[in-house]
Amino acid sequence: GHFDCVLCMLTLCSVDDQEASLKEIKRLLRPDGGSFGFVEHTAVLPDEPYRLLDIQQQLFDPLQQVVADNCHLHRNTDAAILDVFGREGATQLAGERFLVDGMW
């Protein structure tokens, strides 16, 4: 890879193949210290207390894909990122999950 940093903002919800996209991002980064920064919306996790949001994500996901250019409301994007970056060779992984105040 050749790039110091790759930023991805609200993109991984819409790509056809998340794993292939993430592998390409990893390939583009310098292996000796490249950084991957992202802000993505993701599926509610089973241990999170947001059951109503989880139901809404699942219910509206098919419609969202049609009206928002393949955007998936209920993708487990953070797990996909961990699968590609966190299992081999990543020196630091940090993440934060949050709700946007007033949205839900």
Side-chain angles (χ1 to χ4, degrees), residues 7-15 37-42 68-69 71-72 77 98 100:
L7 298 176
C8 190
M9 307 300 159
L10 301 172
T11 304
L12 294 171
C13 61
S14 299
V15 295
F38 61 92
V39 174
E40 296 287 337
H41 62 89
T42 64
D69 200 25
C71 175
H72 292 71
T77 301
F98 60 91
V100 177

Side-chain angles (χ1 to χ4, degrees), residues 2-98:
H2 303 286
F3 294 94
D4 294 330
C5 181
V6 173
L7 298 176
C8 190
M9 307 300 159
L10 301 172
T11 304
L12 294 171
C13 61
S14 299
V15 295
D16 289 327
D17 188 338
Q18 269 191 334
E19 182 179 3
S21 299
L22 288 164
K23 285 181 178 179
E24 180 63 9
I25 289 168
K26 187 174 181 178
R27 186 189 71 78
L28 291 171
L29 287 171
R30 281 192 356 236
D32 61 341
S35 297
F36 173 45
F38 61 92
V39 174
E40 296 287 337
H41 62 89
T42 64
V44 173
L45 297 177
D47 62 341
E48 292 179 315
Y50 311 114
R51 294 293 45 105
L52 179 58
L53 177 57
D54 183 46
I55 292 167
Q56 290 170 332
Q57 284 181 334
Q58 292 181 55
L59 180 67
F60 292 113
D61 191 53
L63 177 63
Q64 177 78 0
Q65 291 173 46
V66 172
V67 300
D69 200 25
N70 200 40
C71 175
H72 292 71
L73 296 174
H74 203 256
R75 262 191 182 167
N76 200 344
T77 301
D78 40 2
I81 291 168
L82 281 173
D83 286 344
V84 172
F85 284 90
R87 311 280 187 242
E88 55 186 66
T91 57
Q92 179 182 2
L93 287 174
E96 178 182 351
R97 293 180 63 88
F98 60 91

